[in-house]
Amino acid sequence: MQNGSARFIKVYVSRVIALVLFISLISVPAVTSAATVITKVSTTAAGKAYLEVGGKPFNPIAVQLRVDRAVWYGGKTLADTAAFYTDAKNQGFNTISVPIPWSQMEPTQNNYDWTWLDSYITNSKNNGLKLEIIWFGINVAGGGCSNFLPSYITSNTSVYARHSNSDGSIFSYNHDQDGTCTGYSLADSDTLNREKAALQAMMNHLGSFDTTHTTIGIQVNNESMVNALACSNGGPWDRSYDADTTAAYNASGYTNGAAFAEYQLAVYQNQLAQVIKQSDYSVYTRMNYWCQNASIINNLLTYAPNIDFWGNDPYTSEINNIRNSIDPSTKFLSISENSTYANTPYLELAAYDKGAVHYDIYQLVFQSIDGEGMVGLDHTWRPTATTIVNANNQITKEPYLTSYTSGTDISYFYNPSQTSSETKSIGFDVNFSTSNYGLGIALKTSNDIMLMGLGGGGTFKVTNRIPSSADVGYYNANHNWVSTGSKSITNNTDGTFSVAVSGTEYVKLHYNNGIPAGPTNLALNATASTTSNNGYYPTSKVNDGTSAGIVSTDNPGFPQYVTLNWSAGQSFNAVKLSSNYAQGQAPTNWDIQVSADGSTNWTTVASSGAVSWSTNGSTESREISFNEVTNKKGVRIKINNANLTWSHYAIEELAVYNHNLALFAIPSTTSNDGQFPTSNINDGTTAPIVSNNNPGFPQYVTLNWGVGQSVSAVNLATNYAQGQAPTNWDIQVSTDGSTNWTTVASSGAVTWLTNGATESRQLSFTPVANVKGVRIKMNSANLTWSHYALQEIEVFN
């Protein structure tokens, strides 16, 4: 009688609480703030998410260690497991993910035992690792398993309500290692409050014990889902029919039990994460999935703002599957578990390329119950470990790796072929070629171009000026560069230079005056139109600077046109077309046409010929250069043919440039007072050259290339021009760069307008091919201060 009365009171009160909880949660919850933030997800100015640890970007190279299974089934003691943290460190990981079963932390109600957790923190700290805690609570793989939950939870069915099926049966199954796994009600306030209390106790303990901030993140439950029975056995995807859930459902306005259950999962998980975020040891929070759908994700996006990000456990070695698992727009920023595949480095770069901030390998220790890991219980390395270790040791040389924006200031090269060649952009083109299954990463900062090799390594060819210096090394945890030696580079004298980078090298190319700005993409300010668009993306996506492009209607007739128009005339000499899955959907033959008014009298200035694309996945580009055209209000791509595997063609982006050939030339001058190096004359900056005092005329400034160029215009820029600028000059060209100079244009007498701000004068002429040298023959100059000065010379084809 007493027990029955207690149960009646429990049901009645819980229904009231469920109703109150629902009313309070039906509005969109806010992100919780805490007094002390240890780690968080931050965003760059370009909108790229990254993890921040100790106020700095951090890229977790993570591996999971199942301490519970090593102790319970592997014959190890807790003390034995300390050696596995050393294994993780020796294999290049900087982060270790370790589950903490609720049962080990709170063996009896309100009595906490920190032995396991403290060992995680201490062992991680002693090995220089960061720690992620994986919370094993009531929703591990959709249920609470008896080995992970305190006995006071599992034994008290009258207080802690189970998930009840519509027929009154309790959702439950037996797991070989985890015990009896039972679904728990997501509306039961008793269960929720106990789990929140346990998490609060853990956060309090971290605040007092983990004073060095070794712990950086918490996964809120593991493989959380609405209903494990539905995911694994095809059972009913539905809400629970326990009294608490039924009361909340009836008050909710929902009419579909499965939809309500998806909402409940988001609300429950958010409340657990809120405890972490409100604590004085606030760290990033994440979730992983085994089984989810778009509706679950939408609920989490709306009702779980305290979960920073989530990810799948894809268990796949397919690169495209990994790419498809990452979607920053829906907070899919993690590969939360993936096995120790031999091609793991390719998979990691694919994830980073799509915007991932987190990649976690399952797992470190091989046990027969879990499948292959990195090391055996006896600490011997397993076959795939070496490949992963070598990649880890490279990737950890760039702690800020995941804070760079793919396609803008970083590009990843991960074509899984023994021999491959890919060109991508980091604001200017970088080609990576390999003949030994190599991988590569290229990124830029304000003053440096960074090139990393992985696997078999390869050769980078960079379209930019020769750097001021080159060396090999790595960034330490504070992102200070540590040089280990110099690096040779090859000037290709065609506007590019090459650097061979092995799979163990990270190369820093430094520019004393900053990296010369890449040419302005004129397409960004144009208006786009096309003869065919299926409506999947607006036509404006073809020139917006992003990877979201246009897709044609099915079975288009050729020719097709994509047109860019400007309100004012433009000068340019190159058009770049980019596409992904190019072997299936990219144009294969096109002409470039221009128009003075943007609508009539189109003239072909270049043609692609037959184009073969290299891959059927990552973005590829083809740039076609031609002699500079001036005062054009329109450029269009006339598409003559395309790959139509899926019945359409697709273009990610069109870019239009006016490339400055002078950036890649070797300069010399007949007069320099030594105040500034001659290289200033073509470095893309406003740093000048200054002649000797009282120079005799003519004076020469010469630019040389190792291979022939087609040139049609030369621009000369200076400041304080009325006091120090040339006033009469000729443009001369040479096919060998040293003899037989021919005058192709003359300035005549030039009057400058100011004596302060920079001014320039451009001379255009009939295009001249196969030119290896261009020089400015100065016949006279303003010599108010006894010298002439030039800021920059630009040459266009």
Side-chain angles (χ1 to χ4, degrees), residues 74-253:
K76 299 295 182 181
T77 65
L78 189 61
D80 291 336
T81 64
F84 293 123
Y85 295 81
T86 303
D87 288 331
K89 182 65 175 179
N90 290 340
Q91 293 178 347
F93 293 101
N94 62 20
T95 304
I96 193 161
S97 305
V98 191
I100 181 71
W102 187 357
S103 59
Q104 293 302 308
M105 197 182 78
E106 190 187 14
T108 60
Q109 190 166 347
N110 291 322
N111 294 310
Y112 293 99
D113 183 344
W114 304 114
T115 305
W116 279 37
L117 180 59
D118 288 355
S119 78
Y120 300 173
I121 297 168
T122 300
N123 291 330
S124 298
K125 176 184 174 182
N126 288 346
N127 287 279
L129 298 169
K130 294 299 183 182
L131 171 66
E132 274 190 335
I133 296 170
I134 300 177
W135 173 247
F136 273 14
I138 73 153
N139 201 314
V140 175
C145 300
S146 57
N147 286 359
F148 301 144
L149 297 182
S151 59
Y152 77 84
I153 296 287
T154 60
S155 63
N156 195 340
T157 59
S158 65
V159 173
Y160 305 105
R162 282 19 177 203
H163 177 104
S164 175
N165 298 320
S166 58
D167 61 2
S169 61
I170 300 298
F171 161 62
S172 184
Y173 67 97
N174 292 319
H175 190 277
D176 290 344
Q177 289 82 41
D178 301 335
T180 301
C181 301
T182 304
Y184 281 76
S185 167
L186 295 177
D188 179 15
S189 59
D190 291 307
T191 305
L192 172 63
N193 288 335
R194 283 313 312 164
E195 189 161 12
K196 288 171 63 176
L199 280 172
Q200 184 64 67
M202 183 174 75
M203 302 314 297
N204 292 343
H205 182 71
L206 288 175
S208 62
F209 183 80
D210 193 359
T211 56
T212 58
H213 301 165
T214 296
T215 306
I216 62 170
I218 296 179
Q219 180 179 291
V220 185
N221 280 308
N222 184 69
E223 294 179 345
S224 303
M225 65 187 75
V226 171
N227 187 328
L229 185 64
C231 291
S232 59
N233 299 324
W237 188 292
D238 199 359
R239 70 172 178 90
S240 174
Y241 286 82
D242 68 282
D244 297 311
T245 303
T246 298
Y249 177 70
N250 290 338
S252 70

Side-chain angles (χ1 to χ4, degrees), residues 316-587:
T316 179
S317 60
E318 295 296 323
I319 290 175
N320 284 336
N321 290 346
I322 293 294
R323 286 179 56 85
N324 292 335
S325 294
I326 302 297
D327 182 0
S329 69
T330 54
K331 292 171 67 170
F332 272 95
L333 300 175
S334 171
I335 299 299
S336 299
E337 286 183 16
N338 209 31
S339 193
T340 56
Y341 299 108
N343 69 335
T344 290
Y346 297 89
L347 307 180
E348 287 181 295
L349 295 199
Y352 296 148
D353 193 16
K354 282 297 296 293
V357 303
H358 181 272
Y359 191 108
D360 199 325
I361 290 177
Y362 189 93
Q363 65 175 331
L364 178 65
V365 180
F366 171 80
Q367 297 178 88
S368 59
I369 60 175
D370 283 320
E372 188 167 356
M374 298 282 288
V375 298
L377 283 165
D378 60 354
H379 304 284
T380 56
W381 289 22
R382 301 193 59 80
T384 58
T386 300
T387 300
I388 297 171
V389 170
N390 291 339
N392 288 349
N393 289 332
Q394 282 297 89
I395 293 172
T396 52
K397 292 178 180 178
E398 180 49 84
Y400 290 6
L401 184 69
T402 51
S403 67
Y404 295 97
T405 304
S406 182
T408 300
D409 49 18
I410 191 167
S411 283
Y412 302 89
F413 301 89
Y414 50 93
N415 192 329
S417 300
Q418 179 176 355
T419 301
S420 68
S421 177
E422 294 181 276
T423 299
K424 296 185 177 181
S425 177
I426 54 174
F428 43 83
D429 283 348
V430 177
N431 175 272
F432 178 76
S433 59
T434 182
S435 58
N436 191 31
Y437 294 102
L439 301 88
I441 301 172
L443 66 89
K444 69 176 174 66
T445 64
S446 58
N447 291 302
D448 304 312
I449 297 173
M450 310 298 302
L451 305 174
M452 179 183 290
L454 297 93
T459 298
F460 290 93
K461 184 168 75 172
V462 182
T463 303
N464 212 310
R465 277 185 56 80
I466 299 296
S468 306
S469 62
D471 59 335
V472 180
Y474 62 92
Y475 283 111
N476 62 22
N478 293 319
H479 214 249
N480 294 319
W481 179 254
V482 180
S483 176
T484 58
S486 61
K487 184 66 178 178
S488 63
I489 59 177
T490 301
N491 185 348
N492 300 320
T493 65
D494 63 352
T496 69
F497 63 87
S498 296
V499 185
V501 180
S502 76
T504 60
E505 289 180 319
Y506 191 27
V507 176
K508 176 182 178 181
L509 308 174
H510 181 70
Y511 291 81
N512 293 337
N513 295 321
I515 297 175
T520 300
N521 178 9
L522 302 174
L524 294 174
N525 297 316
T527 301
S529 59
T530 181
T531 51
S532 178
N533 189 307
N534 73 352
Y536 188 68
Y537 290 114
T539 303
S540 60
K541 290 296 183 183
V542 81
N543 64 320
D544 67 350
T546 74
S547 60
I550 60 169
V551 179
S552 75
T553 54
D554 282 351
N555 304 309
F558 293 103
Q560 292 281 314
Y561 296 91
V562 180
T563 305
L564 300 176
N565 286 108
W566 297 272
S567 58
Q570 307 290 323
S571 299
F572 49 90
N573 57 18
V575 175
K576 183 166 70 172
L577 182 153
S578 301
S579 184
N580 66 352
Y581 295 95
Q583 291 178 341
Q585 61 181 8

Side-chain angles (χ1 to χ4, degrees), residues 512-513 669 671-681 683 686-693 719-720 724 785-790:
N512 293 337
N513 295 321
T669 181
S671 180
N672 189 306
D673 73 350
Q675 183 179 359
F676 300 101
T678 301
S679 59
N680 283 358
I681 195 63
D683 67 352
T686 58
I689 63 167
V690 179
S691 75
N692 296 324
N693 282 341
N719 64 353
Y720 295 94
Q724 61 180 8
W785 302 293
S786 301
H787 64 251
Y788 70 81
L790 297 174

Side-chain angles (χ1 to χ4, degrees), residues 642-663:
N643 293 322
L644 298 175
T645 299
W646 303 291
S647 301
H648 63 253
Y649 68 82
I651 300 174
E652 274 196 355
E653 192 76 7
L654 288 181
V656 180
Y657 299 109
N658 204 18
H659 288 302
N660 174 16
L661 301 175
L663 292 173

